[in-house]
Amino acid sequence: MSVDSSPGMSSATADDIRRAALRLFATGGYEATTMREIAAAVGIRAASLYNHFGSKEDILWDLTSTALEDLNSESEASMATLSPDATPTEKLLTFVRAHIAYHAKNGEQATLVNMQMGGLSKSHHRKSVALRDRYESRLRSIMQEGVAAGVFHVPDERVASFAILQMGIAVSGWYRPEGNLSVPQLCDVYEILANRMVAA
Amino acid sequence: MSVDSSPGMSSATADDIRRAALRLFATGGYEATTMREIAAAVGIRAASLYNHFGSKEDILWDLTSTALEDLNSESEASMATLSPDATPTEKLLTFVRAHIAYHAKNGEQATLVNMQMGGLSKSHHRKSVALRDRYESRLRSIMQEGVAAGVFHVPDERVASFAILQMGIAVSGWYRPEGNLSVPQLCDVYEILANRMVAA
DNA sequence: GTCTATATATCGATAGAC
DNA sequence: GTCTATCGATATATAGAC
């Protein structure tokens, strides 16, 4: 079978399909996007898409799993640069920088994950939720550690974590690289906001 | 014509349809929801829906416009309780309380507005964006006033406004009244977070 | 690996009886 | 105002020639 729907390996056309589908899914929604539209954006016919992906849902799953794995691996790579005795504040700000940078640089992927996961099969949906939970729990742990150490003072750990996560996720909806804020500058802004939120 | 799609007046069945459609649109998405599903949830056949609404998009528009008008009117009503010489901080915290309360109490409506506006016709979409912009600009004005008065110190007015808005919108995605936080308690939490975000 | 042609299903919406 | 029956369009997906 030549349906290389497994994330990781990719022919040239499969990547073209990924790019086109990602844009269409993120802007118009998964259900509202047709295989004919994806094919037209790539310059082939709808039937030819099935040489590269087994189904429309396979494309969505490919894009979603890749996005979530990228998010997790970039976050973990950032955290790995910290020394073992880093303070909760250092951990929080490092997490936030990676969080903001990802959502600024990968707006379409983030939009897909945040709005189109409902199109996944039940099995793929479960796996996606697990990947997302793994990501979010990392911030929760940092928050709990900071509160336990007495350096964070938040009215509610869970709510504060959600608030920090979500204000970053929203970046994917409006940030444009052509604007007057570079990604590092944007990270600086959110570092300040997050730091204030946990410090009395 | 008996298609009472105009928000405001309503027969018993039309409200049943609104409730069912809101739930289905918010949980499964507008495009993925069929007229037959809505009808089944109400206990009638799909064809009978057209005695109450002219089209599927009419239902979405009814729900969306009502949600956005409720959001605006509740926000404006809250702001109207302030004295004319209220400080920027008082204005901000009042806005945030109404913002959080709405998104905690109207999770499905907020989810609809935030994720399903793409299903609207171009004309209805424009009107919805205008209503949403009117709401968001109110916070922007408060933010600018506080910065101009020297009581708010934010690295970026626009980013800070988005961050406050979005951390509140996210409440609609996870808050459940059965949980261990009442709406007033939740508002207290976000009041603190918002206040910290603007104060150095 | 792309194409044309088509199978099969389901969609939103309408017609007309009751 | 609900129903059954159905239209016309379009969706995903497949078959098979090239």
Side-chain angles (χ1 to χ4, degrees):
Chain A
M1 216 150 343
S2 70
V3 285
D4 56 343
S5 72
S6 59
M9 103 129 260
S10 55
S11 76
T13 310
D15 267 350
D16 291 342
I17 295 170
R18 286 187 184 90
R19 265 187 293 273
L22 174 60
R23 172 145 303 173
L24 289 166
F25 289 168
T27 56
Y30 170 73
E31 306 282 355
T33 300
T34 69
M35 293 296 267
R36 286 173 175 81
E37 288 179 279
I38 299 171
V42 180
I44 60 178
R45 299 287 186 174
S48 301
L49 294 173
Y50 294 88
N51 290 321
H52 303 276
F53 295 90
S55 69
K56 184 185 177 187
E57 196 265 356
D58 267 9
I59 303 178
L60 178 63
W61 167 238
D62 179 288
L63 295 171
T64 303
S65 63
T66 298
L68 281 165
E69 282 160 9
D70 285 355
L71 176 64
N72 268 304
S73 65
E74 288 184 20
S75 180
E76 286 165 8
S78 282
M79 301 307 293
T81 66
L82 288 171
S83 76
D85 59 341
T87 65
T89 299
E90 289 169 332
K91 290 180 182 176
L92 174 67
L93 299 187
T94 299
F95 180 93
V96 167
R97 284 198 84 84
H99 184 61
I100 299 301
Y102 177 87
H103 286 85
K105 292 179 187 164
N106 304 93
E108 288 176 341
Q109 285 93 333
T111 300
L112 191 81
V113 166
N114 287 305
M115 317 230 318
Q116 309 301 333
M117 264 173 49
L120 291 169
S121 71
K122 201 164 297 187
S123 158
H124 288 158
H125 187 83
R126 268 203 319 273
K127 292 178 184 173
S128 298
V129 170
L131 283 168
R132 195 190 56 189
D133 286 350
R134 181 153 70 88
Y135 179 73
E136 295 184 355
S137 70
R138 202 170 301 118
L139 176 59
R140 285 290 300 278
S141 297
I142 295 169
M143 188 70 69
Q144 289 167 345
E145 183 185 336
V147 169
V151 293
F152 294 172
H153 303 87
V154 292
D156 186 299
E157 287 175 18
R158 189 164 148 271
V159 173
S161 296
F162 268 122
I164 290 174
L165 279 171
Q166 198 58 34
M167 75 178 183
I169 289 171
V171 168
S172 62
W174 59 265
Y175 179 75
R176 297 290 175 270
E178 314 88 75
N180 51 353
L181 275 176
S182 71
V183 172
Q185 287 174 325
L186 193 71
C187 291
D188 290 342
V189 171
Y190 280 94
E191 226 183 56
I192 292 170
L193 294 178
N195 195 42
R196 287 182 182 175
M197 287 168 77
V198 299
Chain B
M1 216 147 349
S2 69
V3 285
D4 56 344
S5 71
S6 58
M9 102 129 263
S10 55
S11 75
T13 310
D15 267 350
D16 292 341
I17 295 170
R18 286 186 183 91
R19 264 187 293 273
L22 174 60
R23 172 146 303 172
L24 290 166
F25 289 169
T27 57
Y30 171 73
E31 305 282 354
T33 300
T34 69
M35 293 295 268
R36 286 168 176 81
E37 288 179 280
I38 299 171
V42 180
I44 60 178
R45 299 287 187 175
S48 302
L49 294 173
Y50 294 88
N51 289 321
H52 303 276
F53 295 90
S55 69
K56 185 186 178 188
E57 196 264 356
D58 267 8
I59 303 178
L60 178 63
W61 167 238
D62 179 289
L63 296 172
T64 304
S65 62
T66 298
L68 281 165
E69 282 160 9
D70 285 354
L71 176 63
N72 268 305
S73 64
E74 288 184 21
S75 180
E76 286 164 8
S78 281
M79 300 308 291
T81 67
L82 289 171
S83 75
D85 58 341
T87 65
T89 298
E90 288 169 332
K91 290 181 182 174
L92 174 66
L93 299 188
T94 299
F95 180 92
V96 167
R97 284 198 85 84
H99 183 61
I100 298 302
Y102 177 87
H103 286 86
K105 292 178 188 165
N106 303 93
E108 289 176 340
Q109 286 93 334
T111 300
L112 190 83
V113 166
N114 287 306
M115 317 230 316
Q116 309 302 333
M117 264 174 49
L120 291 170
S121 70
K122 201 164 296 186
S123 158
H124 288 158
H125 187 83
R126 268 203 319 274
K127 292 178 184 174
S128 298
V129 170
L131 283 169
R132 195 189 57 189
D133 286 350
R134 180 153 70 88
Y135 178 72
E136 295 183 355
S137 71
R138 202 170 302 119
L139 176 59
R140 284 290 301 278
S141 297
I142 295 170
M143 189 70 69
Q144 290 168 343
E145 183 186 334
V147 169
V151 293
F152 295 172
H153 303 86
V154 292
D156 187 300
E157 287 174 18
R158 187 164 149 272
V159 173
S161 296
F162 268 121
I164 290 175
L165 279 172
Q166 197 59 33
M167 76 178 181
I169 289 170
V171 168
S172 62
W174 61 264
Y175 179 75
R176 297 291 174 270
E178 314 88 73
N180 51 353
L181 275 175
S182 70
V183 172
Q185 287 174 326
L186 192 71
C187 292
D188 291 343
V189 171
Y190 280 94
E191 227 183 55
I192 292 170
L193 293 178
N195 195 41
R196 286 183 182 173
M197 288 168 77
V198 299

